Amino acid sequence: MESKQAVEDHLNKQHIQFLDIMEFTNLDLYGSKNRQLLVWLHLKKNELEQMRESVNHYLGQEDASINEFLNRDHIGGNSAGLGLALIGLIIRGDLQSDLSFAVTGAISKTGDVLPIGLVKDKIQIAEVSGYSYMIIPSENAEEAARIQKEHNVNMQIFDVSHIDEAIQLINELNKKDK
């Protein structure tokens, strides 16, 4: 279609709900294809495998439920890494939480929280899903603050640069909630 407005009008006429419309250029499409070619040629690991390795390395072991999640169809990217590492800690009994959090962020093998893409979409999905709290990478904090203001997001968004900060935050919020 010719414009974002034309796409929006078309979707509205068909009564299809959507959060946002993104424009892709040929550069975006070919960049994605080139990255995939590097994976196929074994010159680069795909993001999902990088995430699996980082989470398992951080936890010091593989976890069957995490591997089950990662083996599902239509899983891609690495932005679930922080959430999976936190779930691994909960499964092991090293972390407890009585609160629900939306969590996004890639993770390194040492627990550093790395930036992710599609922040706007993830924030909007978390809010529509009814979360009161969201944890994001510190490198995405400015973008998240702008999105929160522009879209009147009524959810507390916390940023962390290491998984230890996320653990501390979850523990503090759970104490306040009691």
Side-chain angles (χ1 to χ4, degrees), residues 94-97 101 164-177:
D94 295 339
L95 177 65
Q96 295 180 355
S97 180
F101 294 85
D164 292 343
E165 293 175 37
I167 294 166
Q168 182 180 353
L169 173 67
I170 290 169
N171 288 330
E172 288 173 5
L173 289 172
N174 274 286
K175 284 179 188 174
K176 286 181 185 177
D177 188 56

Side-chain angles (χ1 to χ4, degrees):
M1 295 193 166
E2 294 179 20
S3 68
K4 287 174 76 170
Q5 186 62 50
V7 173
E8 188 174 328
D9 293 343
H10 178 74
L11 293 173
N12 284 330
K13 284 180 188 173
Q14 294 184 353
H15 304 290
I16 297 173
Q17 290 184 331
F18 60 93
L19 293 175
D20 197 10
I21 298 168
M22 295 176 55
E23 186 175 331
F24 286 93
T25 66
N26 283 337
L27 182 61
D28 297 323
L29 295 173
Y30 288 114
S32 174
K33 289 177 183 179
N34 287 339
R35 285 187 296 280
Q36 186 59 50
L37 284 171
L38 291 173
V39 169
W40 287 338
L41 295 170
H42 302 285
L43 298 173
K44 179 181 176 186
K45 289 184 182 178
N46 72 37
E47 290 179 325
L48 187 63
E49 282 308 310
Q50 287 174 334
M51 177 176 57
R52 180 189 308 270
E53 284 182 14
S54 294
V55 170
N56 288 334
H57 185 272
Y58 177 80
L59 293 173
Q61 65 188 38
E62 286 195 28
D63 183 275
S65 57
I66 291 172
N67 283 332
E68 182 180 325
F69 172 82
L70 292 172
N71 289 332
R72 292 176 19 200
D73 290 336
H74 309 295
I75 300 288
N78 61 0
S79 63
L82 175 60
L84 289 173
L86 291 169
I87 288 169
L89 294 173
I90 290 170
I91 290 169
R92 274 196 334 214
D94 295 339
L95 177 65
Q96 295 180 355
S97 180
D98 298 323
L99 301 172
S100 294
F101 294 85
V103 178
T104 189
I107 189 171
S108 73
K109 291 180 179 181
T110 59
D112 293 320
V113 179
L114 308 172
I116 46 91
L118 301 172
V119 175
K120 179 179 175 183
D121 301 308
K122 292 170 184 173
I123 289 172
Q124 289 177 317
I125 290 167
E127 184 178 44
V128 169
S129 298
Y131 287 98
S132 299
Y133 306 106
M134 183 168 190
I135 300 173
I136 64 164
S138 290
E139 289 186 48
N140 293 108
E142 283 183 33
E143 179 183 5
R146 187 177 64 253
I147 292 164
Q148 190 171 24
K149 185 176 181 180
E150 289 173 2
H151 295 275
N152 298 316
V153 173
N154 191 22
M155 170 178 57
Q156 285 188 281
I157 300 176
F158 301 95
D159 66 275
V160 297
S161 59
H162 193 275
I163 190 170
D164 292 343
E165 293 175 37
I167 294 166
Q168 182 180 353
L169 173 67
I170 290 169
N171 288 330
E172 288 173 5
L173 289 172
N174 274 286
K175 284 179 188 174
K176 286 181 185 177
D177 188 56
K178 289 184 178 182

